[in-house]
Amino acid sequence: MDAPQVVILVLSCAKPPYDALHAAQRRTWDGVEVPGVQTVYYWCDEFDTMHVRLKTVLAALANVGGWQYIFRTNSSSYVDKRALQQFAASLPRQRCYCGMDGGGFASGSGFFMSRDVAEI
């Protein structure tokens, strides 16, 4: 089985301290190239608009080929891309919505969605 293609979606903000966190991500974990893993940053001026922006990004990604999972995180998270890809290889290919239980929704430092879930 081929390794799944993972897109890491990072929610960030141009305001302090998030701008510095974003810059640190690019210098550290996002500077590591892992085949089959791509990082996409999306920006919100205010975090209360993040759900609208996430829906817009997901709609755009639905037309992009080659990815099987989205891992959505934010600018305060550190991601080990290799470990993330290895974990994704163990996930179901369809109907996958995975993360810590946040009271009926996936929460924590990030969550996974398979392509079919993101398209819904």
Side-chain angles (χ1 to χ4, degrees), residues 8-106:
I8 302 170
L9 288 181
V10 182
L11 171 64
S12 196
C13 181
K15 296 179 181 179
Y18 305 104
D19 56 344
L21 292 170
H22 167 76
Q25 284 178 317
R26 288 191 181 262
R27 284 191 316 270
T28 58
W29 66 263
D30 198 25
V32 176
E33 292 291 325
V34 176
V37 178
Q38 177 183 353
T39 306
V40 175
Y41 293 88
Y42 68 107
W43 303 91
C44 295
D45 294 330
E46 299 293 334
F47 279 100
D48 61 351
T49 64
M50 70 181 175
H51 298 296
V52 173
R53 300 281 175 105
L54 177 58
K55 288 179 182 180
T56 302
V57 171
L58 291 177
L61 285 176
N63 295 318
V64 175
W67 62 272
Q68 183 63 39
Y69 300 100
I70 287 173
F71 179 72
R72 209 297 256 151
T73 191
N74 58 50
S75 58
S76 63
S77 295
Y78 184 93
V79 177
D80 180 331
K81 290 181 178 180
R82 287 185 182 91
L84 188 83
Q85 186 178 47
Q86 289 172 352
F87 179 76
S90 71
L91 295 174
R93 294 271 179 160
Q94 294 184 328
R95 299 179 66 183
C96 178
Y97 180 60
C98 173
M100 293 188 65
D101 186 352
F105 58 93

